[in-house]
Amino acid sequence: FKMGNASKNENKEKKEFTKITFCLDWTPNTNHTGLFVAKGKGYFEEEGLEVEFVQPPEDGALLMCSSGQAQFAIDAQDTFAAALDGDKDYGVTAISAILQHNTSGIISRKGDGIVSPAGLEGKTYSTWESPIEMAMIKNVMEEENADFDKLKLIPNTITDEPAALAAKQTDAIWVFYGWGGINADIEKVDCDFFFFRDINPVFDYCTPVIFGNNEFMESNPEITKAFLRACKKGYEYAVENPDDAADILIKEDSTNSLQGADKLVHESQKWISKEYISDAKSWGYIDSSRWDRFYKWLYDNKLTKNNLSKTGYTNEYLSE
Amino acid sequence: MTKKLQNITDKLPPLIALLGFVLIWQLVCFFKIVPSFMLPSPIEVVLAIINDFSTLLHHGKVSLIETLAGLLLGIILAFVMATVMDRFVVLDKAFYPLIIVSQTIPTIAIAPILVLWMGFGMAPKITLVVITTFFPITVGLLEGYKSVDKDSLNLLKAMGADNLQIFYHLKFPRAMPYFFAGLKISASYAVVGAVVSEWLGGFEGLGVYMTRVKKAYSFDKMFAVIIVIVIISLLLMKLVKEIGKMSMPWLNLAKNENVNQK
Amino acid sequence: MTKKLQNITDKLPPLIALLGFVLIWQLVCFFKIVPSFMLPSPIEVVLAIINDFSTLLHHGKVSLIETLAGLLLGIILAFVMATVMDRFVVLDKAFYPLIIVSQTIPTIAIAPILVLWMGFGMAPKITLVVITTFFPITVGLLEGYKSVDKDSLNLLKAMGADNLQIFYHLKFPRAMPYFFAGLKISASYAVVGAVVSEWLGGFEGLGVYMTRVKKAYSFDKMFAVIIVIVIISLLLMKLVKEIGKMSMPWLNLAKNENVNQK
Amino acid sequence: MILLKAVDISKKYGEKTIIESVNINLKKGETVSLLGVSGAGKTTLLHVLAGISPPDGGKVFLMEEDITKNPGKIAYMMQKDLLLEHKKIIDNVALPLIIKGKSKKEARKEAIKYFKDFGLDNTQYKYPSQLSGGMRQRAALLRTYLSSNKVALLDEPFSALDNITKSAIQKWYLDTIKKIDLSTIFITHDIDEAIYLSDRIYILKGKPATITDEIDLGNLKKDTEKDFNLTEKFLELKKMIISKLV
Amino acid sequence: MILLKAVDISKKYGEKTIIESVNINLKKGETVSLLGVSGAGKTTLLHVLAGISPPDGGKVFLMEEDITKNPGKIAYMMQKDLLLEHKKIIDNVALPLIIKGKSKKEARKEAIKYFKDFGLDNTQYKYPSQLSGGMRQRAALLRTYLSSNKVALLDEPFSALDNITKSAIQKWYLDTIKKIDLSTIFITHDIDEAIYLSDRIYILKGKPATITDEIDLGNLKKDTEKDFNLTEKFLELKKMIISKLV
Ligand SMILES: Nc1ncnc2c1ncn2[C@@H]1O[C@H](COP(=O)(O)OP(=O)(O)OP(=O)(O)O)[C@@H](O)[C@H]1O
Ligand SMILES: Nc1ncnc2c1ncn2[C@@H]1O[C@H](COP(=O)(O)OP(=O)(O)OP(=O)(O)O)[C@@H](O)[C@H]1O
Ligand SMILES: [Mg+2]
Ligand SMILES: [Mg+2]
């Protein structure tokens, strides 16, 4: 597990590029648009970087970054807690927020009455059974005086949320609005949706987030900064040109998994482009107050052994 | 005395190999040749087993029930299929290729489909165990039935035995060693089958627990689960072996005697 | 003429069984006994294969390369292990139990760990194929070596043959049928091994494609992939069988002749 | 009185005719041997007589009854694999009774009576692999006897034994067969054995094979004479038979 | 001239002594047989002579050289499984040459010369399973010969054949052995065979087994006399040997 991938390219004819492996959190989607734009538009190249996007084993992006198989990876603040909380040093730090706000929430069939957490009572919810997820659902339900015990839980094996709802496999699913919510519109499945952050502001944590391998970043601070500069440029382009960016995403995705989903990508892009920077002073900035508040909540609710506030992130590699 | 000695010289080498393996593993961890989050040390794993014991027991029980139920159904299915296929050659010709095909389907691909069809209960898990286990048993039984020599068959025919009697007195006992050989292979795959299907959708069982601890980055617990799975598999194989020994007293005898006789 | 006839009566039943199976499947879909999103009809699956042909070919190639590389390494590993274990009884005693233990570890659990250790390339996939395939070959070879009777061994010793000559002239050829039997089993698991490891981390190969179409709820494509996997596995098994036949001319002869002789 | 009669038996395997127009008979109390080189078709003929292999022509009669293709009427001791390794001796021996519908308990009770007579004391609850070659032979013969048929067919009953152990068993066999009043046809390719044990010899020869000769030894008092097979009379007979065999 | 000499050989398996103080010798051109009941220890003794089984006491000399525990000096034809099924006849037969370091091509060239003499024309490129029993025997003997040792040990070379085919091969064997000038010790438990084929007979008997008798047949002109084994002289000898065996 050497940093083999980071070694200099031997090719003498061209400019020498630094190779970067970037581990995505999922199949390519509009969360990643800026990255693909940076690649497609040559922003990485301008910074002397050659970036390869890879996909992780199930839920493993962070670990791939820890192990040095990837220099950077995407994960979320909530799942990162488990890694921070143990007695082991995973050697990764959050260095940039892709979206400023948590855009996740619960989607349900229109007419079932799950317009807010109270409506979940007596319904079926597909869960990954992560403790934080459960605690959040419990919290938002209790905010509205609903009984969490009356929520029926089934394992989440769902990958196409609108279809699952339409087939009545389940009543409620956790989705990111920018993808799952938009997809429901596209598929013409009438749905209700609520954001967690609207019920309890503590849940407005950072997700998804770009992580970097500490060892790599400490020995290559300039490369790290250059990498984020290129990303930023990419996301800024996506904010300005959602349609064009969407096309670049589809084109640059070497896995071709978005082919045939043009409409979804474009619609999603239109919505999400507004979220990349949102109310922040610039793209990528991690709002420490929201970060710390969520981790404190975890600690207060005994979801972590340690108080993780003020740990695990830095804005120092971001350019102004 | 010599038998005891034999026993020791038989068991010593694997024990030493195992200890050596664990020792190297511990040293690799101790000198941080591999970072600790990538590979928990054996001590950590043992601690994880001790700390999580009741949880492991609970999930282990669920997986074990699925395994045993699947194995039992697999045996019944294999028995019926092999016996019918042995009786009617056409069916043998017709279904043997299909059975082989069924074994090249990745379980990881059908597990989610089974969950989709059968829900989140034990049914899809048991079904998956049946699918992974019936094959070695069926093949074993078929081979066993075919291993019966024409002369023995003629002997019973000459006595005027009907098909059922031939089956009971000759074919089935002759097929038993093959049956148990197949069953041993099945037993070694059965637990894994159950775990895979739980992994891909379920609420309880070692597979579910494994995804859970994996998400929590608890690799020590993850390894603990793997070790529990290995232990259950080995116990199951041992059980099959012992039942086999008990059901076929003539085989052990033959071995003991042959040393003295020939 | 009679041989041709035999060939037909051998191949007809499985063909009819297969067609019957597909027909029932189509009817189940046609009459919507199972909702179409849960089970694509055979026609849809065939269409999916045709439409996705180039994609399937691309991913299939990747999986096939991993499979073949893994199988080759598995053969080499198995050969070295079995030969060394056969030569030194202590090693046999020491490692045989460990090898069995290695088979009860769920691949689905170690695949992500392998990716973590070895990265995103083909290495972890090939390793997984090696792990799933070396076992049947090793066991086959060991059994084969052990199948050599004392008399043949003594015959060569009496000629003054050394260990290497005994291995070359006697042990290895005698072990070949066992080797190929093991290899056939390995071949049937190899593709699945590659697919599982891709499923759990990778960006090319049938396993990756499968997760992708599964996420898109394209069950017709999912089934198309399964069928491609089955076909590759069957072809691989067929290949092993043919190579086996070619490498052991004396076995086929024996069969033909025995009919006339005894 | 003729117990068993085979008329015009012929048998093919595939295109190949193995035996053709074979006529054979066996009188009550008689011991008849079937002599022929390896592959002549001796076993094939016995299979037909036992009813387990359908002939392509001809019929087999037991007394007056047609028993062609009707197994279970004649006891048959096969060329090898005499005992089922997975059954204890008592159950091996009692098998014909169980097949005929007796309960295991009854069958065992019936079988156990004969263990002493057949020199099988204390072997009841052993497995075949624990017995010596000679004992196995006797167990197989006891089983043949317990099928309680008047006629027994034996396929090379002694070929598995070495020449020296063989003569002891042959002697015992002659005595026993008389005691239990069995009429037998047995196969051998050992001329000495044929002369020593049988009242009559059929020679099976040719492709396809037929009975080419029948030699009556009824008037020889071989069992009374000591070392009969070392006498001149014996040698003459042997010479004669060899000349007919080749 | 004494070619092979075994002095005071004893051999145990585990706690059990199988043979004890066995002394044997073989002169040039001689054919000696080793007679004993099944399980006496005949094969055990031959294993020691061939050097593939270390004795617990005693030594084996070839000419004056000590060849105890030193295989490859004496040709040895085993009791069964004579030919390797996975090799063509030519390669089976040439195996001793290849083992001794010749190339496959050379070895084949050397071996092929003898196929005609041994009655094996046109079998070179066949596999053992395609040969009849008699041909297999001859191929095994040719292989034994090609190990180009002066002394050959044969363990029941004819026991697999039926009595009638056997005599033909035995005759051929006697002729051939003379032609190729081989000195042999062979095992049998068939008294007729021992008398017919050998110049001298050793009788191995007892538990543990020793050589209890040695019978010299050197002055019998058996091969010239037709049907020797049907003569009175033969019978007397046989009677004598039986009395010594039991
Ligand atoms: N099931 C069979 N199918 C085809 N041919 C057979 C079958 N059984 C026997 N034969 C052939 O029939 C011939 C006679 O065989 P059979 O076993 O009756 O001979 P045998 O006289 O009993 O010989 P042996 O003394 O070796 O037992 C042989 O040539 C054999 O190849
Ligand atoms: N490898 C062995 N281990 C233990 N005992 C053995 C071994 N080989 C032979 N024996 C025993 O040694 C005795 C002599 O066996 P051996 O094979 O030499 O007899 P034999 O005279 O050749 O008999 P046969 O005529 O049956 O070939 C037998 O009692 C046998 O059980
Ligand atoms: Mg026969
Ligand atoms: Mg022997």
Side-chain angles (χ1 to χ4, degrees):
Chain A
F1 60 97
K2 275 183 271 167
M3 302 299 168
N5 292 336
S7 67
K8 301 274 179 198
N9 192 335
E10 306 276 336
N11 197 336
K12 293 239 166 78
E13 285 171 21
K14 288 189 206 161
K15 200 174 141 194
E16 281 194 9
F17 287 106
T18 304
K19 277 198 173 168
I20 297 285
T21 304
F22 187 99
C23 190
L24 303 176
D25 56 341
W26 195 246
T27 46
N29 58 58
T30 46
N31 278 345
H32 310 140
T33 309
L35 301 165
F36 283 90
V37 169
K39 187 168 193 190
K41 288 257 163 199
Y43 300 160
F44 286 134
E45 223 167 292
E46 286 166 16
E47 299 285 358
L49 304 173
E50 187 183 325
V51 178
E52 184 186 24
F53 297 119
V54 297
Q55 279 163 62
E58 270 183 45
D59 322 308
L62 196 71
L63 275 172
M64 297 313 293
C65 186
S66 301
S67 70
Q69 298 290 353
Q71 285 74 49
F72 302 104
I74 299 180
D75 212 311
Q77 193 194 342
D78 51 349
T79 48
F80 184 39
L84 271 181
D85 194 34
D87 44 10
K88 283 178 181 142
D89 180 12
Y90 285 83
V92 289
T93 305
I95 51 170
S96 163
I98 288 177
L99 299 177
Q100 273 304 317
H101 296 281
N102 183 354
T103 60
S104 64
I106 299 294
I107 194 169
S108 58
R109 269 184 309 277
K110 200 160 211 88
D112 280 9
I114 315 182
V115 288
S116 76
L120 282 170
E121 241 187 35
K123 295 292 194 302
T124 303
Y125 169 69
S126 294
T127 172
W128 297 289
E129 285 191 284
S130 110
I132 294 175
E133 174 206 8
M134 305 283 253
M136 281 173 65
I137 302 277
K138 190 164 187 242
N139 179 282
V140 293
M141 284 179 77
E142 281 165 3
E143 289 274 328
E144 300 193 345
N145 297 318
D147 187 357
F148 176 71
D149 291 337
K150 289 188 184 148
L151 179 65
K152 219 175 107 209
L153 299 170
I154 60 166
N156 188 339
T157 55
I158 292 159
T159 44
D160 183 343
E161 295 85 6
L165 287 175
K168 304 213 165 169
Q169 279 180 265
T170 184
D171 298 330
I173 316 169
W174 178 316
V175 293
F176 286 85
Y177 183 76
W179 192 257
I182 304 284
N183 194 15
D185 286 347
I186 306 274
E187 300 276 322
K188 302 214 162 39
V189 179
D190 277 343
C191 287
D192 284 326
F193 187 87
F194 66 81
F195 288 103
F196 289 110
R197 65 179 190 221
D198 292 346
I199 314 295
N200 186 347
V202 105
F203 299 138
D204 196 11
Y205 54 80
C206 298
T207 178
V209 179
I210 296 180
F211 288 85
N213 181 295
N214 291 348
E215 207 178 319
F216 173 79
M217 294 192 298
E218 275 154 28
S219 45
N220 302 287
E222 290 315 314
I223 294 175
T224 307
K225 282 179 187 163
F227 176 73
L228 287 184
R229 257 197 314 275
C231 291
K232 189 176 164 205
K233 222 170 150 189
Y235 277 103
E236 280 166 356
Y237 181 87
V239 171
E240 299 298 323
N241 313 291
D243 267 325
D244 195 22
D247 287 331
I248 294 175
L249 171 64
I250 296 170
K251 195 173 129 262
E252 285 295 315
D253 165 27
S254 61
T255 64
N256 296 330
S257 61
L258 294 175
Q259 249 157 29
D262 292 58
K263 198 164 169 217
L264 169 60
V265 174
H266 279 95
E267 288 300 315
S268 169
Q269 195 62 55
K270 233 174 266 167
W271 187 86
I272 210 163
S273 277
K274 298 193 295 278
E275 297 284 326
Y276 289 147
I277 302 176
S278 188
D279 50 2
K281 51 183 176 178
S282 71
W283 177 84
Y285 184 75
I286 298 173
D287 183 335
S288 55
S289 63
R290 278 188 287 125
W291 181 283
D292 293 345
R293 188 172 57 187
F294 179 62
Y295 274 177
K296 175 141 194 320
W297 182 83
L298 290 184
Y299 181 61
D300 292 342
N301 287 276
K302 299 198 165 54
L303 291 164
T304 57
K305 291 197 295 276
N306 308 300
N307 187 353
L308 304 175
S309 290
K310 304 192 192 329
T311 60
Y313 67 96
T314 175
N315 284 316
E316 70 174 277
Y317 295 106
L318 286 170
S319 52
E320 288 308 314
Chain B
M1 189 63 205
T2 43
K3 219 171 177 182
K4 246 188 194 159
L5 216 85
Q6 182 61 26
N7 216 330
I8 288 171
T9 57
D10 270 3
K11 290 209 173 128
L12 213 55
L15 220 71
I16 290 173
L18 187 67
L19 284 179
F21 175 74
V22 172
L23 194 74
I24 291 173
W25 176 6
Q26 179 68 47
L27 288 177
V28 163
C29 293
F30 186 77
F31 291 107
K32 303 231 184 286
I33 300 172
V34 171
S36 64
F37 66 84
M38 273 192 179
L39 183 69
S41 76
I43 293 175
E44 286 174 311
V45 173
V46 170
L47 285 177
I49 293 181
I50 294 170
N51 290 333
D52 272 16
F53 197 73
S54 66
T55 318
L56 286 172
L57 210 67
H58 169 72
H59 289 293
K61 213 175 67 187
V62 173
S63 297
L64 192 62
I65 291 172
E66 290 162 1
T67 304
L68 292 180
L71 208 47
L72 192 72
L73 287 176
I75 291 172
I76 294 172
L77 178 66
F79 183 78
V80 171
M81 280 189 45
T83 308
V84 170
M85 280 165 69
D86 181 66
R87 182 69 190 78
F88 303 102
V89 188
V90 193
L91 293 184
D92 189 2
K93 279 187 189 161
F95 289 114
Y96 200 83
L98 284 188
I99 292 179
I100 287 180
V101 166
S102 80
Q103 288 310 295
T104 60
I105 298 174
T107 50
I108 202 171
I110 48 171
I113 299 176
L114 289 179
V115 173
L116 188 66
W117 289 349
M118 301 185 189
F120 295 103
M122 282 198 172
K125 283 106 197 176
I126 293 175
T127 306
L128 204 83
V129 175
V130 171
I131 291 174
T132 49
T133 58
F134 88 95
F135 179 70
I137 309 176
T138 308
V139 171
L141 273 172
L142 277 175
E143 205 180 316
Y145 290 151
K146 277 177 193 151
S147 80
V148 174
D149 55 295
K150 238 182 144 65
D151 284 326
S152 302
L153 220 59
N154 278 334
L155 176 77
L156 266 96
K157 272 192 206 154
M159 287 183 192
D162 57 31
N163 277 326
L164 202 70
Q165 286 175 320
I166 289 178
F167 181 78
Y168 178 76
H169 289 291
L170 180 63
K171 285 204 157 186
F172 184 64
R174 280 281 167 84
M176 269 172 84
Y178 297 82
F179 166 75
F180 277 103
L183 184 57
K184 211 176 139 195
I185 296 172
S186 290
S188 75
Y189 291 150
V191 188
V192 174
V195 170
V196 168
S197 63
E198 288 163 356
W199 177 292
L200 294 169
F203 265 131
E204 282 183 310
L206 293 172
V208 172
Y209 183 66
M210 206 139 94
T211 54
R212 218 174 276 165
V213 297
K214 192 179 145 236
K215 274 184 193 154
Y217 300 103
S218 308
F219 267 44
D220 50 345
K221 292 187 184 175
M222 175 105 169
F223 273 69
V225 183
I226 293 180
I227 286 176
V228 169
I229 292 170
V230 167
I231 290 174
I232 294 181
S233 295
L234 293 181
L235 286 180
L236 216 57
M237 285 162 80
K238 177 88 182 156
L239 185 74
V240 169
K241 198 174 156 190
E242 291 305 319
I243 294 177
K245 254 190 196 167
M246 265 166 33
S247 325
M248 304 178 292
W250 65 92
L251 285 189
N252 300 323
L253 267 179
K255 250 180 221 160
N256 294 340
E257 293 298 311
N258 275 353
V259 177
N260 306 335
Q261 263 191 317
K262 171 72 222 175
Chain C
M1 189 62 204
T2 44
K3 218 172 179 182
K4 245 187 194 159
L5 217 84
Q6 181 64 27
N7 217 329
I8 289 170
T9 57
D10 271 2
K11 290 208 172 127
L12 213 56
L15 221 71
I16 291 173
L18 187 68
L19 284 179
F21 175 75
V22 171
L23 194 74
I24 290 172
W25 176 8
Q26 180 68 47
L27 288 177
V28 163
C29 293
F30 187 77
F31 291 109
K32 301 227 184 292
I33 299 171
V34 172
S36 64
F37 76 90
M38 276 191 176
L39 183 70
S41 75
I43 293 174
E44 287 172 314
V45 173
V46 170
L47 285 177
I49 293 181
I50 295 170
N51 289 333
D52 272 13
F53 195 73
S54 66
T55 317
L56 286 173
L57 210 66
H58 169 72
H59 291 291
K61 213 175 66 188
V62 174
S63 298
L64 192 62
I65 291 172
E66 290 163 1
T67 303
L68 292 180
L71 208 48
L72 193 71
L73 287 176
I75 290 173
I76 294 172
L77 179 67
F79 184 78
V80 171
M81 279 189 48
T83 308
V84 170
M85 279 166 72
D86 181 65
R87 182 70 190 76
F88 303 101
V89 188
V90 193
L91 293 183
D92 189 3
K93 279 186 190 164
F95 290 113
Y96 200 84
L98 284 188
I99 293 178
I100 287 179
V101 166
S102 81
Q103 289 310 295
T104 60
I105 298 173
T107 50
I108 201 171
I110 48 171
I113 299 177
L114 289 178
V115 176
L116 187 64
W117 290 349
M118 302 186 188
F120 296 98
M122 281 195 171
K125 284 107 196 173
I126 293 175
T127 306
L128 204 85
V129 176
V130 170
I131 291 175
T132 48
T133 57
F134 88 94
F135 180 69
I137 310 176
T138 307
V139 171
L141 273 173
L142 276 175
E143 205 179 317
Y145 290 150
K146 277 178 193 152
S147 80
V148 174
D149 55 296
K150 237 183 146 34
D151 284 326
S152 302
L153 219 58
N154 279 332
L155 175 77
L156 266 97
K157 273 193 203 153
M159 287 181 191
D162 58 31
N163 278 326
L164 200 72
Q165 285 174 321
I166 289 178
F167 181 78
Y168 178 76
H169 290 291
L170 180 63
K171 284 203 158 185
F172 184 64
R174 280 283 166 84
M176 270 172 84
Y178 296 83
F179 166 75
F180 278 103
L183 184 58
K184 210 175 141 196
I185 296 172
S186 290
S188 76
Y189 290 151
V191 188
V192 174
V195 169
V196 168
S197 64
E198 289 163 356
W199 177 291
L200 295 168
F203 35 114
E204 277 184 312
L206 292 172
V208 173
Y209 183 67
M210 206 140 96
T211 55
R212 214 171 281 159
V213 296
K214 192 188 144 224
K215 280 175 189 164
Y217 261 64
S218 310
F219 268 39
D220 51 344
K221 292 188 184 174
M222 176 100 169
F223 273 70
V225 185
I226 292 180
I227 285 176
V228 170
I229 292 171
V230 167
I231 290 173
I232 295 180
S233 296
L234 292 181
L235 287 181
L236 217 55
M237 285 163 78
K238 177 90 182 157
L239 185 72
V240 169
K241 198 175 155 189
E242 291 305 319
I243 293 177
K245 254 190 197 165
M246 263 165 34
S247 325
M248 304 180 292
W250 64 92
L251 284 189
N252 301 323
L253 268 179
K255 248 179 222 158
N256 294 342
E257 293 297 311
N258 274 353
V259 177
N260 305 337
Q261 263 191 319
K262 170 70 221 177
Chain D
M1 188 184 70
I2 288 175
L3 271 182
L4 185 74
K5 199 165 77 178
V7 185
D8 250 358
I9 303 292
S10 67
K11 173 79 195 168
K12 288 180 186 178
Y13 280 127
E15 303 284 286
K16 214 169 102 196
T17 306
I18 305 294
I19 50 178
E20 196 162 57
S21 318
V22 166
N23 288 287
I24 260 186
N25 61 61
L26 178 70
K27 298 192 194 78
K28 195 164 159 16
E30 221 183 6
T31 305
V32 169
S33 66
L34 202 58
L35 205 62
V37 295
S38 185
K42 306 181 293 291
T43 300
T44 305
L45 177 57
L46 248 55
H47 274 30
V48 171
L49 298 183
I52 56 180
S53 171
D56 291 302
K59 283 193 181 312
V60 183
F61 298 94
L62 181 65
M63 320 284 256
E64 299 300 289
E65 187 193 0
D66 183 350
I67 58 159
T68 326
K69 296 192 247 179
N70 189 1
K73 301 283 177 175
I74 300 180
Y76 187 12
M77 183 166 142
M78 314 280 297
Q79 192 158 1
K80 46 168 189 167
D81 268 352
L82 309 147
L83 302 174
L84 303 178
E85 300 296 334
H86 57 271
K87 282 184 187 285
K88 293 186 177 126
I89 297 299
I90 178 89
D91 295 324
N92 255 295
V93 160
L95 191 57
L97 301 171
I98 292 170
I99 298 280
K100 292 228 165 86
K102 286 222 167 112
S103 76
K104 187 166 169 178
K105 209 175 142 194
E106 270 181 297
R108 280 187 167 197
K109 215 168 127 190
E110 170 81 17
I112 214 146
K113 292 184 204 158
Y114 299 90
F115 269 68
K116 197 165 181 165
D117 277 357
F118 278 72
L120 290 168
D121 296 307
N122 301 322
T123 64
Q124 290 93 325
Y125 299 107
K126 290 195 170 166
Y127 283 98
S129 63
Q130 298 175 284
L131 263 56
S132 75
M135 279 174 155
R136 291 174 65 113
Q137 292 285 349
R138 286 198 288 266
L141 201 73
L142 173 52
R143 179 175 61 191
T144 312
Y145 171 61
L146 278 177
S147 68
S148 42
N149 293 308
K150 292 275 163 341
V151 176
L153 309 173
L154 313 177
D155 197 345
E156 303 194 23
F158 310 116
S159 66
L161 305 171
D162 74 80
N163 288 22
I164 296 148
T165 342
K166 198 187 276 187
S167 33
I169 299 242
Q170 284 173 336
K171 211 157 236 137
W172 170 86
Y173 171 76
L174 270 186
D175 294 347
T176 309
I177 235 173
K178 202 157 284 168
K179 231 193 296 187
I180 62 182
D181 189 29
L182 206 60
S183 316
T184 52
I185 298 178
F186 78 96
I187 287 180
T188 183
H189 46 223
D190 182 342
I191 302 168
D192 292 27
E193 190 173 281
I195 301 175
Y196 183 53
L197 294 180
S198 48
D199 300 311
R200 218 151 28 100
I201 299 178
Y202 282 115
I203 290 177
L204 197 68
K205 214 176 100 180
K207 281 196 188 260
T210 40
I211 300 294
T212 53
D213 276 288
E214 185 184 337
I215 298 144
D216 202 329
L217 309 168
N219 47 358
L220 284 174
K221 282 172 279 155
K222 44 200 170 181
D223 42 333
T224 53
E225 210 163 320
K226 204 177 159 287
D227 281 340
F228 166 71
N229 57 345
L230 301 179
T231 61
E232 280 228 45
K233 224 192 302 175
F234 182 90
L235 285 184
E236 262 166 51
L237 258 173
K238 194 168 171 181
K239 273 187 210 171
M240 188 260 278
I241 293 171
I242 288 178
S243 73
K244 289 188 170 172
L245 257 174
V246 274
Chain E
M1 187 184 70
I2 289 176
L3 271 183
L4 185 75
K5 198 165 79 178
V7 185
D8 248 358
I9 303 291
S10 66
K11 173 78 194 168
K12 287 178 186 179
Y13 280 127
E15 303 284 287
K16 215 167 103 196
T17 306
I18 306 293
I19 51 178
E20 197 161 56
S21 320
V22 166
N23 288 286
I24 260 186
N25 61 61
L26 178 70
K27 299 193 194 75
K28 194 164 159 20
E30 222 184 5
T31 304
V32 170
S33 65
L34 202 57
L35 204 64
V37 295
S38 183
K42 305 180 295 291
T43 300
T44 304
L45 178 58
L46 248 57
H47 274 30
V48 171
L49 296 183
I52 55 179
S53 170
D56 291 300
K59 286 194 178 313
V60 183
F61 297 94
L62 182 66
M63 319 283 256
E64 298 299 288
E65 186 192 359
D66 183 352
I67 57 157
T68 326
K69 296 191 247 179
N70 188 0
K73 302 281 175 175
I74 301 181
Y76 186 12
M77 183 165 142
M78 315 281 297
Q79 191 157 4
K80 46 167 187 166
D81 268 353
L82 307 146
L83 302 174
L84 302 178
E85 300 297 334
H86 57 272
K87 281 182 186 289
K88 293 186 178 128
I89 298 300
I90 178 91
D91 295 323
N92 256 295
V93 159
L95 191 56
L97 301 171
I98 291 170
I99 297 280
K100 292 228 164 87
K102 287 220 167 114
S103 75
K104 188 167 168 177
K105 208 176 145 196
E106 271 182 295
R108 278 187 169 197
K109 214 169 127 192
E110 169 80 19
I112 216 145
K113 295 184 204 158
Y114 299 91
F115 268 71
K116 195 164 182 165
D117 277 356
F118 278 72
L120 290 167
D121 295 307
N122 301 323
T123 64
Q124 290 92 324
Y125 300 105
K126 290 195 172 169
Y127 283 98
S129 63
Q130 298 175 285
L131 262 55
S132 75
M135 279 173 154
R136 292 175 64 114
Q137 292 284 348
R138 285 198 289 266
L141 203 72
L142 173 52
R143 178 175 62 191
T144 310
Y145 171 62
L146 278 178
S147 67
S148 42
N149 293 306
K150 292 272 163 342
V151 177
L153 310 173
L154 312 176
D155 197 346
E156 303 194 22
F158 311 116
S159 66
L161 305 170
D162 74 81
N163 289 22
I164 294 147
T165 343
K166 197 188 280 188
S167 33
I169 300 246
Q170 283 173 338
K171 210 157 234 135
W172 170 87
Y173 171 75
L174 269 185
D175 294 345
T176 310
I177 234 171
K178 200 157 284 169
K179 230 193 296 188
I180 63 183
D181 188 30
L182 207 61
S183 315
T184 50
I185 298 179
F186 77 96
I187 287 180
T188 182
H189 47 221
D190 182 339
I191 302 168
D192 292 26
E193 191 173 280
I195 301 174
Y196 183 53
L197 294 179
S198 48
D199 301 311
R200 224 156 17 106
I201 299 177
Y202 282 114
I203 290 178
L204 197 68
K205 214 176 98 179
K207 279 196 190 260
T210 41
I211 301 294
T212 53
D213 276 286
E214 185 186 334
I215 298 145
D216 201 330
L217 309 169
N219 46 357
L220 284 175
K221 281 171 279 155
K222 44 201 169 179
D223 44 332
T224 52
E225 208 163 321
K226 201 176 162 285
D227 279 341
F228 165 73
N229 58 344
L230 300 178
T231 62
E232 279 228 46
K233 227 191 302 175
F234 183 91
L235 284 185
E236 261 165 51
L237 257 173
K238 192 169 172 181
K239 270 187 211 173
M240 188 261 278
I241 292 171
I242 287 179
S243 72
K244 288 187 171 174
L245 256 174
V246 275

